[in-house]
């Protein structure tokens, strides 16, 4: 059976949204279409989504993906500022 998609929950929906925001923030910063202040606000949402770790392996993996993206964004923001 192919990978099963976990049932929706507020936590997984927030993590999915944060994971989708990461490339938007990164491309907005690299193209200078997104201000550092706006990117920081968007990144703060992503940080909020990973504050409370879960025991669910799917959520842990998604949170790690978001965390890795946040590290890249923070590096981009620190070099821009």
């Amino acid at each position: 059976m192919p990978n099963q998609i976990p049932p929706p929950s507020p936590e997984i929906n927030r993590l999915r949204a944060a994971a989708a925001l990461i490339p938007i923030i990164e491309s907005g910063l690299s193209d200078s279409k997104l201000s550092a202040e706006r990117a920081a606000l968007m990144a703060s949402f992503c940080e909020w989504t990973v504050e409370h770790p879960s025991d669910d392996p799917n959520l842990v993996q998604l949170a790690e993906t978001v965390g890795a993206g946040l590290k890249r964004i923070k590096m981009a923001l620190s070099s821009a500022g």
Side-chain angles (χ1 to χ4, degrees):
M1 182 182 271
N3 285 341
Q4 290 184 340
I5 298 173
S9 70
E11 183 179 16
I12 197 161
N13 287 339
R14 286 189 294 266
L15 281 169
R16 287 176 180 159
L21 268 179
I22 297 294
I24 294 169
I25 298 168
E26 289 177 321
S27 69
L29 286 172
S30 68
D31 297 342
S32 299
K33 293 183 178 181
L34 191 62
S35 70
E37 294 80 18
R38 179 67 131 193
L41 284 172
M42 294 168 78
S44 68
F45 167 76
C46 297
E47 287 176 338
W48 174 71
T49 65
V50 295
E51 281 181 356
H52 304 289
S54 174
D55 294 337
D56 183 341
N58 292 319
L59 295 180
V60 169
Q61 183 179 10
L62 199 51
E64 288 173 355
T65 301
V66 172
L70 281 170
K71 287 180 185 177
R72 293 190 307 269
I73 290 169
K74 287 180 181 182
M75 288 176 52
L77 287 173
S78 67
S79 66

